[in-house]
Amino acid sequence: MADHRSEGVVAAVSDIPALDRLLNADAMRASLDTYGRTQVVAALRRDLDALRQRALAGSLMRHELDAAAVAARTAAALAKTAEPRLRAVYNLTGTVLHTNLGRALLPDAAVASVLRALTSPANLEFDLDTGGRGDRDDLIDDVLCELTGAEAATVVNNNAAAVLLMLNALADRREVVVSRGELVEIGGAFRIPDIMKRAGAKLVEVGTTNRTHAADYESAIGPRTAMLMKVHCSNYAVTGFTKSVGVSEVAALAHARGLPATVDLGSGTLVDLTQFGLPKEDTVRETIAAGADLVTFSGDKLLGGPQAGLLVGRADLIRKIKKNPLKRALRVGKLTLAALEPVLNLYRAPEFLAERLTTLRLLTRPQRDIQPLAERLRGTVAHALGANYAVQAVPMFSQIGSGALPVDQLPSFGLAVRYTGSGRPGRHLDKLETMLRRLPTPVIGRIGDDALWLDLRCLEARDEAAFAAQLAEPLT
Ligand SMILES: *Cc1c(COP(=O)(O)O)cnc(C)c1O
């Protein structure tokens, strides 16, 4: 230290310039114009505090006190603060509807509609025919009824809210009969028994985990029963010695006792997916036709729209639900409705659905379309990762995700990255995964079987150039 001091390189506290002088320096102009005085002053204070600490420790260098150096540090700190926390990422996990990555991507028509709703007043609750007050549900209930065959429809914030609202409106302080095999937990805190309790309804479990019979439902019905409810086994499959009672049978049992039958369909697809080469999933229309009095489902799963919870079914039940005060608490905003309406409209032209509905386009993307992409990007990724990693273009399977069809897999193609250097591969793959997550547009893959898997199903042609560009320089 003494050496430095004698060379005059180390700075003392008294050498630190005053905040005002730095603030008025030319080098600070750009930050002031971008971030405003309030933020710049705060950032400068933090920088000067740190400089003071370092001066006291004897480790502060004179060149760090140049106005240009201070301005550069301040600008960097402010830029970091200004970075959005919600960022675009590349979803190469192989799960198309990835709950942690925001589920469905909206088609262009929905994006344009949201933009309009964001920037101009809209008839959210204003009847353009009469000039009187309107109901925001009117914007989408016709198309929902048309697409599902239901008499009436309403929409809330998400499907968990739809289930909560339905139970509270129709079964408060009464009993709801559900098969033990359907008491699902949908990740996080959504468990049917918990929602039931919060809704004020009493759960009556029938059958066993693997087998439930019609007689089980029948004997559970009593004077306090409000409804029979079925829940879609979204994220697991019960296989082997199993028996469940279908919607039509549960509905017949309920109707014979004057009770409604309700179904939480979870994903709730509006079209027969087998026409697109995807696995069979009961549609909302089929569920209604089978006798369900009320069906709830998500807007951002297979439907391919914004986060929302849709309730469709008998007009008298929907009326009751809409009168419940929770409906007001759980209602959707105009952005949701702006996004939902064009998505529902796309279903009126099923011929174009696989092309225009982003979710369906990704789910139906053929392996032969993904393979050349994997082969094109293999070299880029290999170059970016360096000699210690082997990158192969290989076939793999994608999943639909978000609880839809948990056991079905979609043939896809992507890159398998293996560590070939010395040391344990696991640690190096973890490090690589972290590096990819720290890219300007983070790349999210999946680690398994001593490899990092990058499924390219969700990397569409329009993303390819930007994806390759951020891997143009070696990462390691
Ligand atoms: C996904 C799902 C839910 C929760 O839906 P959100 O829209 O995420 O609130 C509820 N029930 C079932 C059966 C589901 O699959």
Side-chain angles (χ1 to χ4, degrees):
M1 283 299 132
D3 287 350
H4 286 242
R5 226 174 257 288
S6 58
E7 287 168 26
V9 180
V10 169
V13 172
S14 57
D15 296 326
I16 299 175
L19 188 136
D20 271 350
R21 224 188 82 212
L22 290 167
L23 202 56
N24 293 323
D26 284 345
M28 208 58 86
R29 195 70 251 157
S31 284
L32 283 166
D33 287 347
T34 308
Y35 304 106
R37 198 184 148 84
T38 310
Q39 289 197 90
V40 172
V41 167
L44 261 179
R45 286 225 166 88
R46 281 191 292 273
D47 195 63
L48 295 183
D49 282 348
L51 293 179
R52 236 168 263 128
Q53 297 301 318
R54 305 244 325 279
L56 291 171
S59 64
L60 182 64
M61 301 296 165
R62 256 183 202 285
H63 68 84
E64 295 178 85
L65 303 179
D66 289 350
V70 176
R73 281 197 306 272
T74 310
L78 288 166
K80 198 159 165 50
T81 311
E83 245 176 37
R85 295 293 187 272
L86 183 66
R87 285 162 64 193
V89 304
Y90 290 112
N91 172 13
L92 306 191
T93 60
T95 301
V96 176
L97 294 168
H98 198 299
T99 295
N100 300 351
L101 301 181
R103 291 192 186 159
L105 304 179
L106 293 187
D108 293 344
V111 174
S113 166
V114 170
L115 200 61
R116 263 195 314 278
L118 272 169
T119 50
S120 55
N123 60 327
L124 179 63
E125 288 188 348
F126 183 82
D127 188 327
L128 290 173
D129 290 329
T130 65
R133 191 187 159 134
D135 175 344
R136 61 182 70 199
D137 283 350
D138 290 350
L139 299 168
I140 43 93
D141 61 1
D142 279 353
V143 63
L144 268 173
C145 292
E146 179 190 319
L147 296 171
T148 63
E151 288 172 9
T154 183
V155 53
V156 289
N157 181 62
N158 56 14
N159 188 36
V163 174
L164 176 73
L165 175 60
M166 170 189 83
L167 290 169
N168 184 257
L170 307 180
D172 190 19
R173 281 170 295 173
R174 293 170 66 205
E175 295 173 354
V176 178
V177 182
V178 187
S179 161
R180 265 202 186 89
E182 298 174 4
L183 294 175
V184 303
E185 169 177 322
I186 317 286
F190 184 86
R191 287 179 171 184
I192 289 292
D194 297 338
I195 293 276
M196 196 78 77
K197 205 174 288 165
R198 293 289 169 156
K202 184 167 182 305
L203 171 66
V204 177
E205 304 171 29
V206 296
T208 59
T209 305
N210 59 333
R211 292 174 72 83
T212 301
H213 305 269
D216 295 327
Y217 283 96
E218 209 155 21
S219 58
I221 298 175
R224 305 203 52 78
T225 307
M227 65 168 80
L228 306 191
M229 179 183 179
K230 274 187 73 67
V231 183
H232 190 269
C233 295
S234 292
N235 44 11
Y236 66 103
V238 182
T239 57
F241 184 60
T242 65
K243 164 94 175 76
S244 67
V245 186
V247 173
S248 55
E249 213 177 333
V250 170
L253 289 167
H255 297 163
R257 309 289 283 268
L259 297 169
T262 65
V263 181
D264 172 16
L265 212 44
S267 233
T269 168
L270 295 176
V271 284
D272 178 4
L273 293 175
T274 58
Q275 66 181 301
F276 304 105
L278 291 170
K280 172 76 190 154
E281 175 97 334
D282 283 344
T283 64
V284 180
R285 180 183 288 279
E286 285 163 350
T287 309
I288 294 277
D293 299 282
L294 203 61
V295 181
T296 66
F297 52 103
S298 290
D300 56 354
K301 293 184 180 173
L302 279 173
L303 182 77
Q307 178 186 304
L310 301 144
L311 298 107
V312 303
R314 255 166 53 193
D316 59 324
L317 300 180
I318 294 287
R319 243 192 326 274
K320 210 163 165 189
I321 282 168
K322 290 179 69 154
K323 279 201 207 120
N324 187 287
L326 274 179
K327 167 67 167 74
R328 174 63 177 77
L330 302 171
R331 77 177 183 189
V332 291
K334 63 180 175 180
L335 301 188
T336 302
L337 290 163
L340 189 56
E341 187 188 4
V343 168
L344 293 173
N345 271 327
L346 288 181
Y347 282 89
R348 287 174 156 153
E351 300 83 358
F352 305 125
L353 205 56
E355 174 195 333
R356 293 180 184 169
L357 187 68
T358 313
T359 296
L360 198 56
R361 186 170 68 238
L362 293 173
L363 288 174
T364 56
R365 193 175 177 194
Q367 193 181 36
R368 61 168 189 280
D369 197 37
I370 314 171
Q371 178 169 0
L373 173 66
E375 281 159 3
R376 279 199 303 277
L377 288 173
R378 196 206 66 79
T380 309
V381 174
H383 176 253
L385 302 191
N388 284 335
Y389 294 94
V391 183
Q392 286 177 291
V394 291
M396 52 184 73
F397 285 100
S398 318
Q399 300 184 17
I400 296 178
S402 275
L405 313 153
V407 290
D408 293 298
Q409 297 190 313
L410 316 168
S412 184
F413 227 90
L415 301 173
V417 182
R418 291 189 174 80
Y419 181 73
T420 53
S422 56
R424 287 216 322 274
R427 229 170 40 91
H428 291 275
L429 286 174
D430 287 345
K431 257 173 61 188
L432 175 62
E433 191 207 27
T434 306
M435 267 186 316
L436 291 173
R437 258 192 284 118
R438 297 206 171 133
L439 284 167
T441 303
V443 173
I444 316 293
R446 149 177 71 86
I447 288 181
D449 300 327
D450 278 339
L452 175 69
W453 304 87
L454 303 175
D455 185 324
L456 296 174
R457 171 175 300 278
C458 295
L459 190 79
E460 292 204 275
R462 62 178 170 192
D463 309 319
E464 185 180 344
F467 179 83
Q470 70 168 1
L471 292 171
E473 297 300 322
L475 283 183
T476 48

